[in-house]
């Protein structure tokens, strides 16, 4: 596990620089801009326990609606500035048939345009399905019920893994619905309030535990709950 | 002349760091040299409080220093200016245009070298927040006694500061061997004493950087190791 501090030189070896790595324009050398662990899978990036999200095009994020006007919803996605979600950027939405979201609702949207100098734009259009937004069967859109909590960005990345151990293990004993945004905000919904809070605590504490420890923790939880 | 706590002239008090003691801030750190403790918190990058503080191509760095007791006064303003100069050197402000990064520094316990401890705490809080930076610049304080012969004490306590003729606080960028910022008070010093001070600060800043690497390694190892 290679730790790097800001200013440390990093050899790129032909890979692209990702988040946390910058290239000095004068000398062409790549250096780390944040403190963390160096990862060199398909791009060279630095992973740490950051909470602030920097918007990137194509990411799917969970946001909270902060305000609205006739054409946009202003959404807080834990980024340096709020993002904008057009009211017509939904499957099958027209001027007469468009969603009206209250302030405080959770939305699962995709980042359409992200540039540091401009406002971030979101969209709830899902190109894979032809269903309209009001059927409730489109993946992107309003998240009803449940509760949301925030985790570090790398914790969210681990929850999004195909074989995330904690989520699979909890799924064996509990029925729940979960939506993880790449901005670190997670939406969780379970049949009863007690279960929801138990699952929330389990997921929060599993960050940093090994599989054996997770197994022990979930075993105790099941014993206490039933 | 021997120091009261038995340290040699160029020995630091044992440093301690606690990363992310505050949960609501984007980044926070508590740093101490012996008894002198400072807590720093970073909020940002986020939207600036008022539109006119917005800079179109970079972020605004806002430093606030709060004393242990009382209302902030001219000493706190001076420390804010010193920290602002030091942090503006390290932070890559052009990565976050039209935003604001607030650094709040709270003195917990003052026992000499407060400016250096504050600088280190602020720097570590920015590291914890993941703000883009181009270098690692740690700070250290020195006290100089001119009579009977010039003696430089590294990291003076409050009692030692009262005995010194001049006090200097230096921030050095170890990898580029550059002096980032400094503040000094007391008697004027000649060039040889200044260059010995800078040399002593350089060595101790490198030691502090190694200490920081070790503490970050310990902290990240628990969270970011590949799943076993």
């Amino acid at each position: 596990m290679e730790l790097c501090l800001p200013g440390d030189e990093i050899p790129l070896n032909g890979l692209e620089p990702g988040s946390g790595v910058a290239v000095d324009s004068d000398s062409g050398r790549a250096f780390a801009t944040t403190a963390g662990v160096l990862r060199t899978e398909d791009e060279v990036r630095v992973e740490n326990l950051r909470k602030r999200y920097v918007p990137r095009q194509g990411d799917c994020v969970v946001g909270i609606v902060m305000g609205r006007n006739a054409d946009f919803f202003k959404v807080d996605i834990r980024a340096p500035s709020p993002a904008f979600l057009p009211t017509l950027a939904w499957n099958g939405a027209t001027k007469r048939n468009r969603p009206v979201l209250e302030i405080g609702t959770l939305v699962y949207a995709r980042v359409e345009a992200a540039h540091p100098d401009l406002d971030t734009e979101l969209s709830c259009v899902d190109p894979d399905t032809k269903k309209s937004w009001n059927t409730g069967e489109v993946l992107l859109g309003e998240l009803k019920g449940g509760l949301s909590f925030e985790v570090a960005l790398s914790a969210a990345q681990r929850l999004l893994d195909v074989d995330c151990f904690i989520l699979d293990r909890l799924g064996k004993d509990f029925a729940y619905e979960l939506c993880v945004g790449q901005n670190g905000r997670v939406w969780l919904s379970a049949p009863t309030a007690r279960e929801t809070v138990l699952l929330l605590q389990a997921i929060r504490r599993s960050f940093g535990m090994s599989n054996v420890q997770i197994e022990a923790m979930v075993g105790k939880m099941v014993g206490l709950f039933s | 002349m021997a120091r009261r706590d038995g340290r040699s002239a160029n020995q630091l008090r044992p440093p301690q760091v606690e990363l992310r003691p505050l949960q609501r801030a984007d980044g926070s750190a508590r740093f101490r040299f012996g008894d002198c403790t400072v807590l720093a918190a970073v909020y940002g990058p986020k939207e600036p409080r008022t539109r006119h503080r917005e800079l179109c191509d970079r972020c605004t760095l806002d430093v606030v220093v709060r004393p242990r007791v009382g209302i902030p006064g001219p000493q706190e303003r001076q420390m804010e200016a010193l920290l602002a100069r030091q942090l503006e050197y390290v932070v890559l402000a052009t990565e976050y245009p039209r935003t604001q990064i607030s650094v709040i520094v709270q003195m917990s316990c003052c026992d000499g070298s407060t400016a250096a401890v504050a600088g280190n705490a602020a720097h570590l809080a920015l590291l914890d927040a993941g703000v883009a930076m181009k270098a690692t610049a740690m700070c250290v304080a020195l006290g100089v006694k001119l009579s009977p012969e010039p003696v430089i004490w590294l990291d003076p306590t409050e009692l030692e500061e009262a005995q010194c003729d001049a006090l200097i606080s230096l921030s050095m960028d170890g990898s580029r061997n550059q002096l980032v910022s400094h503040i000094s008070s007391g008697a004027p010093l000649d060039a040889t004493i200044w260059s010995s001070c800078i040399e002593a600060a350089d060595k101790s800043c490198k030691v502090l950087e190694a200490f920081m690497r070790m503490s970050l390694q310990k902290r990240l190892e628990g969270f970011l190791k590949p799943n076993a």
Side-chain angles (χ1 to χ4, degrees), chain A residues 136-147:
Chain A
E137 288 172 36
V138 182
L139 194 62
L140 301 173
E142 191 186 340
L143 294 165
K144 296 196 175 106
L147 51 67

Side-chain angles (χ1 to χ4, degrees), chain A residues 12-19 21 23 39 42-45:
Chain A
L12 280 179
N13 296 334
L15 298 170
E16 286 293 313
S19 77
V21 177
V23 180
R39 299 270 186 234
D42 46 354
E43 53 169 17
V44 180
R45 62 187 178 89

Side-chain angles (χ1 to χ4, degrees), chain B residues 35-82:
Chain B
D35 276 335
C36 184
T37 317
V38 171
L39 174 67
V42 167
Y43 295 89
K46 58 175 185 170
E47 267 203 287
R49 264 175 299 152
T50 45
R51 257 293 160 74
H52 85 267
R53 309 195 68 187
E54 209 174 72
L55 293 169
C56 64
D57 62 339
R58 46 187 41 232
C59 72
T60 321
L61 201 58
D62 198 16
V63 184
V64 174
V65 174
R66 299 224 181 95
R68 196 177 65 86
V69 288
I71 314 168
Q75 265 189 325
E76 281 72 40
R77 297 280 166 268
Q78 194 181 53
M79 203 180 294
E80 282 171 16
L82 173 73

Side-chain angles (χ1 to χ4, degrees), chain A residues 7-57:
Chain A
D8 284 354
E9 192 164 339
I10 297 179
L12 280 179
N13 296 334
L15 298 170
E16 286 293 313
S19 77
V21 177
V23 180
D24 189 10
S25 46
D26 301 325
S27 55
R29 287 175 23 231
F31 62 96
T33 56
T34 52
V37 175
L38 197 63
R39 299 270 186 234
T40 48
E41 287 112 33
D42 46 354
E43 53 169 17
V44 180
R45 62 187 178 89
V46 179
E47 191 182 5
N48 58 9
L49 300 175
R50 207 154 56 96
K51 292 202 262 186
R52 246 329 128 165
Y53 169 65
V54 175
R56 208 175 45 167
Q57 195 172 0

